[in-house]
Structures are given as structure tokens and as C-alpha cells.
Amino acid sequence: GVTDAESTPRLLSEDKKTELASSGAVKPGVFDFAAAFTALRKNSELLLGLSPASCPSISMASVSEAYGNHTITLSPNAVNVWNLTVAEMAQINNLDAPNRPGGATELIINVTDSGAVTLPVRYWKALAKENQASSVMWNFPNASSVTITQSLLGSVLAPNAAVTMYDVNVDGDVVAQSLDFRPWTAELAHFDGHTSEEYFEGHFPDVPVMPG
């Protein structure tokens, strides 16, 4: 329903730009993107503050190291939160878990770096199964840009950032201020955690919560 080729948001395909230039992706008025991203940015910020002290259903994931191998321990039937920097991520070559994300055992990974963030290439065994995707979220509350050059399992929440993803497999949703996305494959997998119900509405009732 869009006739203005310069309207936003819009989709353009590298091999069909001429064909698609005459039709946009979203009809005006269907989505209130300004309101949606106001809520998403606030939610991304609040996810960084999740702790057991603020909500009994929250658990802080613990990572231990032995003989060069790392293990992440998750609390079952809880929203597990792991706060780390890119530098800390780069030090973890192997990551396994006695109980992995899935079902009611969710994992929120808060990458706390600000500015331009580039994820190091890490193929962690603990985050390797496709059926875990709906239980994992990567949150970038402080980043202005995020570059992902490895296949990623879980949803990406980066509402303040320009996200670039080239030559990767993605299992999850991607929320970004802008997205340059050239995947090998992309599988939709909504984050299925209950953080919004148990934390935001109970502690921040005035903050609008986006579904999912």
C-alpha cells in the first residue's frame, strides 16, 4: 500500500531493487514505530537491571572455569541473567552447561558494552541447539552499533543500535534501530520468557510492555 519509494520502513533486495522501489514494505499507520521503540528501549534498559533482589523469579547465571573450559550454570524454571562484556566473551573459548536454556529455563545475555560492539566468533556448545532459540535473548542496551559475524541462537534486542549481520544463521527475532541483514538462513523464534509479566508489570507498571 505504499507508493513512496523513500518511505520507511521498507525492504529492498539487492537483485530486485528496481522492481521493489515502487512498493514499500509497510502501509502507513499500521504500526506506531515511535511508540513501539520507546517501549523497547526502556525494556532493554530494564533487562540490564534484572536481579534476584528485584524479582524472585530471576537468577544470576554463574560461569566457572577449569582447565581452560568454561561451564555456565543455570537455575531451572527461572529467568537466568548473564551480564558480560565483549572482552569477557572473548576469553571464553568453550562453554558448556549441565542444564541448557529451554522451556521455562530462559537465559538473557546482557552485553554491557557501549558504542560500537563486535561480537567475537564463539561457537559455544551450551548455545547450540535450535530448539533453545525461544529461551535465549541477547540484549544490547548500551550499544550504538552491533556487528555479528557468527551464527547466533536466540533473539537480538538492540533497539538503539545499527545492527549488521552477514553470512550467518539466525534462529530468533531481531529488533534494531536499523538492520543490514544478509543471512545464510533465518528462522523465526520469538523469545518466550515471562520477564515482562513478572518484572516490568510488577515493578514498573507505568512502562508499556511490548508483547514477546
Side-chain angles (χ1 to χ4, degrees), residues 95 100-101 123-132 153 171:
L95 182 69
R100 301 185 183 185
Y123 297 103
W124 290 336
K125 188 177 180 181
L127 301 175
K129 294 186 177 181
E130 292 182 4
N131 60 5
Q132 298 173 325
L153 183 143
D171 291 291

Side-chain angles (χ1 to χ4, degrees), residues 3-194:
T3 57
D4 179 7
E6 298 303 316
S7 64
T8 57
R10 64 185 184 274
L11 298 177
L12 293 177
S13 170
E14 289 248 324
D15 57 343
K16 294 186 177 181
K17 282 185 176 179
T18 302
E19 176 184 331
L20 292 177
S22 61
S23 62
V26 180
K27 187 175 180 179
V30 174
F31 298 109
D32 187 343
F33 280 94
F37 270 79
T38 295
L40 288 164
R41 289 179 177 122
K42 186 62 177 178
N43 289 354
S44 178
E45 175 187 334
L46 293 174
L47 286 173
L48 183 59
L50 290 175
S51 72
S54 62
C55 183
S57 63
I58 302 300
S59 177
M60 303 306 292
S62 61
V63 177
S64 58
E65 186 269 337
Y67 306 106
N69 296 309
H70 291 76
T71 300
I72 183 169
T73 301
L74 305 178
S75 298
N77 301 312
V79 178
N80 292 267
V81 178
W82 185 18
N83 299 331
L84 79 167
T85 64
V86 169
E88 291 169 336
M89 192 182 303
Q91 298 301 312
I92 303 175
N93 292 317
N94 304 304
L95 182 69
D96 207 343
N99 57 321
R100 301 185 183 185
T105 303
E106 296 102 352
L107 175 61
I108 296 174
I109 304 171
N110 288 317
V111 182
T112 60
D113 300 77
S114 59
V117 174
T118 299
L119 292 189
V121 176
R122 290 291 180 268
Y123 297 103
W124 290 336
K125 188 177 180 181
L127 301 175
K129 294 186 177 181
E130 292 182 4
N131 60 5
Q132 298 173 325
S134 62
S135 298
V136 178
M137 177 184 289
W138 296 78
N139 181 38
F140 300 86
N142 303 316
S144 58
S145 68
V146 177
T147 300
I148 299 172
T149 58
Q150 70 175 82
S151 296
L152 197 66
L153 183 143
S155 291
V156 174
L157 179 59
N160 296 299
V163 175
T164 301
M165 307 176 80
Y166 284 1
D167 300 332
V168 297
N169 296 324
V170 178
D171 291 291
D173 292 337
V174 180
V175 174
Q177 178 172 293
S178 66
L179 178 62
D180 191 348
F181 190 40
R182 306 179 191 184
W184 285 329
T185 64
E187 299 287 341
L188 206 61
H190 300 302
F191 180 70
D192 199 29
H194 299 288

